[in-house]
Amino acid sequence: MPKPQGIISAEEAKTLSDNWTKLRAKANEAATGQPDNRSSWYSLDDMQNFLDFIKEKNNNVNGVRIYLGIETTKEDLKEMTTIFMVPTQE
């Protein structure tokens, strides 16, 4: 199996995370009034099922775009950062 593009080292990942903390954490916490989400987790099964599902629905899917969003509902106004994934095609 070929190595996927964009793989980074643990050191590079730590640098990216530290940069987010330095440059964004205070602003996000000020906006929400509490510590904001730093990550999202999906099981391998959920990820594979998502990929299989989007390919089954559209044969022209060529990737997935990941967006940041703010999750709010009338019942829960925490305004926490989340991510969502959107299939892409040419």
Side-chain angles (χ1 to χ4, degrees):
M1 173 183 338
K3 182 178 177 181
Q5 293 183 2
I7 299 296
I8 63 173
S9 69
E11 183 177 308
E12 290 169 306
K14 182 177 181 338
T15 297
L16 293 174
S17 182
D18 290 347
N19 286 345
W20 188 92
T21 299
K22 183 173 68 173
L23 300 170
R24 298 288 189 272
K26 285 182 185 177
N28 282 22
E29 288 178 16
T32 63
Q34 61 189 339
D36 199 2
N37 288 332
R38 294 290 310 265
S39 65
S40 294
W41 182 87
Y42 301 93
S43 71
L44 291 177
D45 285 343
D46 282 344
M47 291 298 293
Q48 189 62 57
N49 289 339
F50 175 71
L51 294 173
D52 292 344
F53 176 79
I54 62 174
K55 286 195 264 184
E56 181 180 306
K57 294 290 182 185
N58 184 343
N59 290 332
N60 297 320
V61 168
N62 65 357
V64 174
R65 188 175 302 274
I66 299 174
Y67 289 93
L68 292 173
I70 302 293
E71 190 169 5
T72 60
T73 65
K74 289 181 181 179
E75 300 80 31
D76 185 6
L77 299 175
K78 289 183 182 175
E79 300 179 355
M80 302 297 282
T81 299
T82 190
I83 64 167
F84 58 97
M85 296 175 280
V86 177
T88 62
Q89 66 184 39
E90 289 187 27

